[in-house]
């Protein structure tokens, strides 16, 4: 939660991996490991989880899904410790996340023999959930005094490369990022066009919203797998998406511009 001023910090239910992320980042700060190496590492953890699901080893799959979330918290922490902010790392992190989300759900679809089209619907739902969380969170970060402004509320063009990265790599990853996330961003922005005009969001509202954060979504999957509820994961996330309209409704009624 170091991206926010003290008064804007909230209990982020999706950020349970932060303590381990800080621990890992501190262990790596004086090594040759870079934040991008850590991003690749959480990708490997996600792929191992997928393999475990295919093998029916649901307890192991849950372990590596949670480990993926914990390692995911370390790349940003390491970037701050090494003072090496990077758009390349930020976009690569996000692209890896959406690829792994798709692979997780497709693997669950295959093992549970769930409808392919229901799985696509669940994937769209998960991405819209995460986009709503990120939309409001980025707004809060940009409004917070001294908050992190690396992420912008509206991103229409590739940012200028930061020291230590090339403009070409930033441009390429930005294009990929806008392709895979652009439609979801437009949908959420259309549903709540005025949200960016709100001065701030109360802490309790952001805590409720954090159930849509990627870490919490993966935690739900990690809990349902060993409970032998794999066939219910896809339907759950389809229904879970309906809360988007409840959360946006609360924002519009109680936090008007």
């Amino acid at each position: 939660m170091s991206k926010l001023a003290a008064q804007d910090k909230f209990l982020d239910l999706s950020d349970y991996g932060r303590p381990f992320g800080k621990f890992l980042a501190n262990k790596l700060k004086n090594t040759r490991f870079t934040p991008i190496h850590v991003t690749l590492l959480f990708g490997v953890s996600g792929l191992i989880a997928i393999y475990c699901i295919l093998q029916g080893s649901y307890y192991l799959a849950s372990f590596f899904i949670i480990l993926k979330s914990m390692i995911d918290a370390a790349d940003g922490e390491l970037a701050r410790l090494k003072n090496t902010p990077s758009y390349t790392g930020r976009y690569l992190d996000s692209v890896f996340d959406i690829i792994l989300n798709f692979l997780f759900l497709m693997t669950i679809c295959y093992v549970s023999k769930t409808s392919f089209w229901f799985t696509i619907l669940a994937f769209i739902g998960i991405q819209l959930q995460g986009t709503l969380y990120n939309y409001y969170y980025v707004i809060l970060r940009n409004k917070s005094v001294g908050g992190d402004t690396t992420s912008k509320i509206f991103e229409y063009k590739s940012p200028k490369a930061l020291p230590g990265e090339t403009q070409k790599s930033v441009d390429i990853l930005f294009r990929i990022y806008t392709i895979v996330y652009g439609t979801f961003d437009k949908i959420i922005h259309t549903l709540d066009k005025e949200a960016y005009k709100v001065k701030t969001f109360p802490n309790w509202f952001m805590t409720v919203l954090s159930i849509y954060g990627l870490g919490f979504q993966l935690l739900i999957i990690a809990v349902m797998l060993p409970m032998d509820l794999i066939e219910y994961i896809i339907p759950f996330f389809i229904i879970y998406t309906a809360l988007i309209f409840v959360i946006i409704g609360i924002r519009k009624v109680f936090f008007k511009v």
Side-chain angles (χ1 to χ4, degrees):
M1 297 299 299
S2 55
K3 297 177 181 180
L4 296 168
Q7 69 272 15
D8 294 318
K9 291 182 179 180
F10 61 94
L11 176 61
D12 190 341
L13 300 176
S14 72
D15 201 30
Y16 53 84
R18 186 65 52 185
F20 177 81
K22 288 182 177 180
F23 169 80
L24 181 59
N26 275 289
K27 291 296 182 182
L28 297 176
K29 67 179 180 180
N30 295 319
T31 70
R32 294 185 178 182
F33 265 82
T34 69
I36 291 179
H37 289 145
V38 178
T39 300
L40 295 174
L41 187 60
F42 87 61
V44 171
S45 182
L47 292 176
I48 293 174
I50 289 168
Y51 175 78
C52 291
I53 294 173
L54 289 171
Q55 296 300 309
S57 302
Y58 296 154
Y59 281 95
L60 269 178
S62 295
F63 171 80
F64 282 105
I65 287 172
I66 292 173
L67 181 62
K68 181 266 179 191
S69 293
M70 295 169 74
I71 297 173
D72 196 2
D75 51 6
E77 292 292 341
L78 186 59
R80 281 185 280 278
L81 286 175
K82 287 179 174 281
N83 195 26
T84 55
S86 165
Y87 286 111
T88 300
R90 183 196 147 208
Y91 293 134
L92 188 64
D93 184 299
S94 296
V95 170
F96 271 24
D97 278 336
I98 196 170
I99 290 172
L100 285 173
N101 283 354
F102 182 78
L103 292 177
F104 281 140
L105 291 184
M106 283 300 153
T107 304
I108 291 168
C109 170
Y110 174 77
V111 173
S112 65
K113 297 180 174 57
T114 305
S115 162
F116 172 79
W117 293 111
F118 277 176
T119 304
I120 293 297
L121 191 59
F123 172 71
I124 293 171
I126 279 179
Q127 293 310 130
L128 287 174
Q129 294 164 28
T131 300
L132 180 66
Y133 168 74
N134 289 328
Y135 181 41
Y136 288 165
Y137 187 25
V138 170
I139 290 171
L140 181 63
R141 280 160 54 183
N142 278 267
K143 301 278 186 177
S144 184
V145 177
D148 177 73
T149 57
T150 303
S151 298
K152 303 299 181 184
I153 300 172
F154 302 106
E155 297 189 82
Y156 299 117
K157 63 179 182 178
S158 179
K160 183 179 179 181
L162 295 170
E165 61 183 354
T166 66
Q167 188 63 50
K168 183 177 181 180
S169 65
V170 173
D171 291 342
I172 291 173
L173 284 168
F174 176 78
R175 289 192 196 101
I176 296 172
Y177 174 86
T178 53
I179 289 171
V180 297
Y181 284 101
T183 299
F184 302 113
D185 287 342
K186 289 177 182 177
I187 291 172
I188 294 300
H189 293 163
T190 299
L191 290 174
D192 196 357
K193 295 179 180 178
E194 304 295 309
Y196 73 95
K197 296 180 181 179
V198 176
K199 291 183 179 180
T200 189
F201 299 115
N203 296 346
W204 68 263
F205 177 74
M206 293 303 300
T207 294
V208 171
L209 179 63
S210 69
I211 64 172
Y212 270 173
L214 177 58
F216 199 79
Q217 292 171 330
L218 293 179
L219 181 61
I220 291 171
I221 295 174
V223 168
M224 293 182 76
L225 281 174
M227 293 178 67
D228 203 26
L229 297 173
I230 189 170
E231 69 270 22
Y232 296 105
I233 292 175
I234 300 301
F236 172 83
F237 279 106
I238 293 173
I239 296 170
Y240 199 49
T241 304
L243 285 175
I244 285 176
F245 301 99
V246 175
I247 292 172
I248 291 177
I250 291 172
R251 201 292 297 164
K252 290 184 176 180
V253 171
F254 294 102
F255 319 123
K256 298 180 180 179
V257 298

